[in-house]
């Protein structure tokens, strides 16, 4: 015998298919997730949507994490997707005036654990930088300067390729970066990046710029125009390949490494926040998780009573 809850789910799925026009694969996911929800509700002896309470939703969320005799444990992403389906169902029932309140309103899908940024050890960074500067051509000079700037300033790839010559103050050892939302910040440039930038600007950039009408861009392509983000990404990945770095390396990897190495060296998180151009220190604090993990690893191997 079909219960009112089952009919409500069927009506919701029809709404998703006919009125919302969801794709077949998405509908299958909703149907599978709501089938599990129906099994749970039925096992609790609930036959009508109005009989479902907030504590039932909380218990269902808990069951996703622990599993039951008929269903396995769901990962965080799958559990979150299932809760989204259930919340959609109850919002639909409220709009259709089947129920008087939305019992899922206060229920939040589980959030994935914060993913630690991938930082490379300094030896890998140096190997990539050296590989970018070999074999000493006009373009390799540009590539070395580009990667030195990315790692030396923590710049986003868009900020690096967006640099104009007037943004550089190498005598003062600083560059002007234009970040998200048009925000600007001045960040210091270390001696290594200054040296490679100076070499590139003096000897190599004029050769690239002579190909066409001059442009203010610092980093130029072989045709004399501004280097694109995609081309800059390729510069890095090819340098990583030549260096024999097995890990996936992206421009953000250099930015992550920049932040992590600063914190490892004792920099204050708010200083790193300013250098990265983060609006909130909360965004920067994920990098502190990396250093905590490193401390834990060192402690567990070095302290005589860290483990039994």
């Amino acid at each position: 015998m079909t219960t009112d809850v089952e009919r409500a789910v069927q009506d919701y799925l029809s709404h998703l298919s006919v009125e919302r026009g969801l794709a077949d694969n998405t509908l299958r996911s909703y149907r599978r997730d709501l089938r599990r929800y129906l099994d749970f509700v039925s096992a609790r002896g609930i036959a009508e949507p109005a009989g479902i309470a907030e504590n039932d939703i909380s218990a269902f969320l808990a069951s996703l994490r622990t599993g039951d005799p008929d269903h396995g444990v769901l990962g965080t992403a799958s559990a979150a997707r299932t809760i989204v389906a259930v919340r959609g169902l109850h919002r639909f029932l409220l709009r259709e005036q089947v129920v008087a309140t939305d019992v899922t309103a206060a229920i939040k899908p589980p959030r994935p654990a914060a993913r630690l940024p991938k930082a490379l050890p300094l030896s890998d960074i140096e190997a990539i930088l050296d590989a970018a500067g070999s074999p000493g051509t006009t373009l390799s000079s540009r590539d070395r300067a580009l990667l030195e700037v990315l790692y030396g300033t923590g710049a986003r790839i868009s900020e690096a390729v967006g640099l104009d010559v007037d943004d550089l103050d190498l005598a003062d050892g600083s560059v002007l970066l234009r970040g998200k939302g048009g925000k600007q910040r001045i960040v210091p440039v270390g001696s290594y990046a200054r040296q490679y930038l100076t070499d590139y600007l003096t000897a190599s950039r004029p050769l690239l710029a002579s190909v066409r009408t001059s442009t203010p861009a610092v980093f130029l392509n072989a045709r004399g125009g501004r280097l694109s983000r995609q081309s800059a990404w390729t510069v890095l990945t090819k340098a990583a390949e030549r260096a024999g770095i097995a890990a996936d390396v992206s421009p953000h990897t250099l930015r992550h490494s920049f932040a992590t190495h600063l914190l490892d060296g004792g920099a204050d998180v708010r200083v790193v926040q300013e250098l990265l151009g983060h609006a909130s220190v909360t965004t920067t604090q994920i990098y502190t998780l990396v250093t905590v993990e490193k401390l834990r690893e060192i402690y567990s191997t070095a302290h005589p009573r860290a483990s039994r």
Side-chain angles (χ1 to χ4, degrees):
M1 179 179 177
T2 303
T3 66
D4 288 345
V5 175
E6 289 173 321
R7 278 190 286 270
V9 169
Q10 291 168 3
D11 290 345
Y12 178 53
L13 290 172
S14 296
H15 164 76
L16 293 178
S17 175
V18 177
E19 297 185 32
R20 295 272 303 277
L22 264 60
D24 289 342
N25 286 342
T26 305
L27 280 172
R28 277 195 290 271
S29 295
Y30 270 84
R31 188 173 291 109
R32 180 175 59 251
D33 294 338
L34 292 173
R35 180 71 260 172
R36 179 165 182 161
Y37 181 54
L38 280 174
D39 291 344
F40 179 84
V41 168
S42 176
R44 292 171 79 88
I46 302 172
E48 298 184 3
I52 302 173
E54 184 177 322
N55 67 308
D56 295 313
I57 306 298
S58 299
F60 177 64
L61 176 56
S63 76
L64 299 179
R65 297 167 176 164
T66 60
D68 57 50
D70 298 318
H71 304 93
V73 176
L74 291 186
T76 302
S78 296
R81 186 200 64 218
T82 301
I83 291 299
V84 166
V86 172
R87 291 180 67 187
L89 167 66
H90 282 272
R91 283 196 295 267
F92 169 77
L93 295 178
L94 181 63
R95 287 196 305 270
E96 296 296 310
Q97 299 182 341
V98 176
V99 295
T101 58
D102 178 5
V103 294
T104 68
I107 304 296
K108 303 297 182 184
R111 297 180 61 181
R115 295 182 62 184
L116 298 182
K118 295 180 180 178
L120 295 176
L122 180 58
S123 58
D124 284 358
I125 295 289
E126 291 175 334
I128 291 172
L129 295 175
D130 288 341
S134 178
T137 63
T138 300
L139 291 180
S140 66
S141 172
R142 176 206 64 189
D143 296 348
R144 178 67 185 257
L146 170 66
L147 299 192
E148 289 281 358
V149 166
L150 284 171
Y151 175 65
T153 65
R156 300 177 179 92
I157 188 68
S158 57
E159 294 170 343
V161 298
L163 279 172
D164 290 339
V165 173
D166 288 344
D167 296 330
L168 305 179
D169 187 346
L170 297 184
D172 182 56
S174 63
V175 298
L176 173 66
L177 298 177
R178 295 177 175 83
K180 294 181 178 179
K183 294 181 179 178
Q184 299 181 356
R185 66 188 188 279
I186 296 176
V187 300
V189 184
S191 60
Y192 286 88
R194 286 205 307 273
Q195 183 60 57
Y196 284 104
L197 266 174
T198 300
D199 293 345
Y200 162 68
L201 293 171
T202 303
S204 299
R205 187 183 179 280
L207 298 177
L208 296 173
S210 66
V211 177
R212 56 177 289 178
T213 304
S214 63
T215 170
V218 172
F219 298 109
L220 306 180
N221 58 33
R223 298 179 300 279
R226 186 182 297 273
L227 190 70
S228 68
R229 292 175 68 256
Q230 293 79 7
S231 295
W233 189 301
T234 301
V235 166
L236 174 58
T237 54
K238 287 187 174 180
E241 289 174 3
R242 288 196 296 271
I245 305 302
D248 290 334
V249 178
S250 72
H252 243 58
T253 306
L254 297 187
R255 183 168 159 87
H256 294 331
S257 302
F258 165 85
T260 302
H261 295 168
L262 279 174
L263 289 167
D264 285 345
D268 183 86
V269 67
R270 291 194 177 274
V271 172
V272 178
Q273 173 196 354
E274 292 294 327
L275 292 172
L276 292 175
H278 286 162
S280 169
V281 73
T282 304
T283 308
T284 315
Q285 282 174 334
I286 186 156
Y287 294 99
T288 65
L289 297 176
V290 180
T291 58
V292 168
E293 285 298 315
K294 182 176 180 180
L295 289 173
R296 185 178 291 113
E297 179 183 349
I298 293 172
Y299 174 83
S300 64
T301 57
H303 195 281
R305 295 182 70 83
S307 60
R308 306 185 70 146

